[in-house]
Amino acid sequence: MRKGRFAPWQWVKRWLFKVLLAVACVWFMGILVFRFIPVPFSAVMVERQLSAWFSGNFSYVAHSDWVSMDEISPWMGLAVIASEDQKFPEHWGFDTDAIEKALAHNERHERRVRGASTLSQQTAKNLFLWDGRSWLRKGLEAGLTVGIETAWSKRRILTVYLNIAEFGEGVFGVEEASRRYFNKPASRLTPAEAALLAAVLPNPIRFKANAPSGYIRQRQQWILRQMRQLGGESFLGQHNLN
C-alpha cells in the first residue's frame, strides 16, 4: 500500500526531472549553436507573439532582421554599453559593484526597484527565458549568463543583444528599429539616433523612440555624454567590439 501510495509522486518527480533535463539540453545546444549562426527568434519574441494572439491581436508580428556587427553602426554598440553596462568589456557577466549599489538602493526605496543586469544577463534572459521578476528566473539567468560568457566572445554577446533587444511594440533588433524609426539601415545610424534607441531600452513599451518624451530626450543627452567620456568609437576598437 505504501509503495502504491507514493508511486504517483515518484512518477511526477521523474517526469519533472526529464523535462528539466530536456530544457537544460536545449539551452546548452542553443548556446553552442548561436555562437556561430544568426538567432532566428528569442524567447521574449515568442512570449510577446503568443500574448498578442491570446488577446485577439492577430495583426501583431514580433519581427527582427538579423545583421552582423559589421552591418551595425559602431555608435549603436557604444550607445548600449554607455547606457546599460559600461563595464561590459571587463566583467565576466556580472557587475558586482552595480549589484551592491542596486541592493542598497532597493532597501531604501522599496517602490523604486533598481536593476543591475549586465548586457550579458539581458542577452541570456531575452534569448532563453520569460519576462518578469522572480528568484527562479534570476537563478536560471545567472546560469545561462555564465554559459554564454564562457562560450561566446564579448563581440558575439553584443551582436546577439543588438539583434534581439526590444525597441518598441513588435520591434526587435536594431535593424528593424532603425528602418522603422529612421528609414535607414542600422549601419547608418548617427550617434544621436543610436543614443535615442538606447534611451528607450529600459522600457521600450512605455518609452517611444518615434515620440520621445522630455525624459527620453534628457536620457539621450546623458548617453551621448557618456559615449564621449568612454572615448567614442575608439572604445570599441580597444576592446575588439566593432
Side-chain angles (χ1 to χ4, degrees):
M1 287 292 293
R2 182 172 296 179
K3 181 178 180 181
R5 180 181 177 184
F6 287 97
W9 290 109
Q10 293 172 356
W11 179 86
V12 170
K13 289 179 180 179
R14 287 197 297 269
W15 182 80
L16 287 174
F17 175 77
K18 290 179 180 179
V19 169
L20 292 174
L21 183 61
V23 171
C25 289
V26 169
W27 284 338
F28 177 75
M29 291 302 299
I31 290 174
L32 293 182
V33 169
F34 294 139
R35 179 182 178 183
F36 304 104
I37 69 171
V39 176
F41 55 84
S42 69
V44 170
M45 292 174 67
V46 172
E47 182 181 357
R48 295 282 191 272
Q49 189 66 70
L50 292 176
S51 178
W53 285 344
F54 287 141
S55 64
N57 182 5
F58 296 101
S59 63
Y60 179 96
V61 178
H63 180 69
S64 172
D65 289 322
W66 177 274
V67 286
S68 68
M69 187 58 78
D70 293 333
E71 299 172 277
I72 301 174
S73 167
W75 297 115
M76 191 67 234
L78 181 61
V80 296
I81 291 173
S83 171
E84 301 288 305
D85 185 6
Q86 295 190 12
K87 294 184 179 179
F88 175 68
E90 306 165 7
H91 64 60
W92 46 277
F94 308 93
D95 187 342
T96 54
D97 291 337
I99 292 173
E100 291 176 358
K101 291 178 181 178
L103 290 174
H105 174 273
N106 295 341
E107 287 180 358
R108 297 192 303 269
H109 309 282
E110 295 182 1
R111 295 184 179 180
R112 291 185 296 166
V113 177
R114 176 186 295 175
S117 294
T118 63
L119 290 178
S120 303
Q121 289 175 273
Q122 293 179 49
T123 301
K125 186 266 291 183
N126 291 343
L127 183 56
F128 294 113
L129 300 173
W130 62 94
D131 207 0
R133 295 178 180 273
S134 70
W135 287 110
L136 173 61
R137 202 216 70 186
K138 292 299 291 186
L140 295 173
E141 177 188 295
L144 289 165
T145 298
V146 172
I148 66 173
E149 278 280 345
T150 302
W152 298 359
S153 66
K154 290 288 188 178
R155 176 185 169 93
R156 184 60 179 178
I157 294 172
L158 186 60
T159 302
V160 173
Y161 175 82
L162 290 174
N163 275 282
I164 65 174
E166 186 175 20
F167 289 95
E169 187 173 357
V171 182
F172 292 87
V174 65
E175 180 71 9
E176 177 71 10
S178 182
R179 292 188 180 278
R180 178 76 64 90
Y181 302 132
F182 306 117
N183 297 312
K184 63 170 70 173
S187 61
R188 294 172 50 200
L189 285 170
T190 66
E193 291 166 344
L196 179 58
L197 290 179
V200 305
L201 285 173
N203 194 333
I205 303 302
R206 176 185 175 189
F207 303 134
K208 309 294 183 182
N210 56 342
S213 64
Y215 167 75
I216 290 300
R217 286 297 187 189
Q218 291 177 358
R219 182 169 170 79
Q220 177 193 28
Q221 293 304 311
W222 178 84
I223 293 172
L224 284 168
R225 290 194 297 270
Q226 296 300 306
M227 291 164 66
R228 288 192 292 269
Q229 291 179 15
L230 286 174
E233 286 187 82
S234 63
F235 176 84
L236 299 180
Q238 292 170 4
H239 299 283
N240 297 318
L241 295 173
N242 58 1

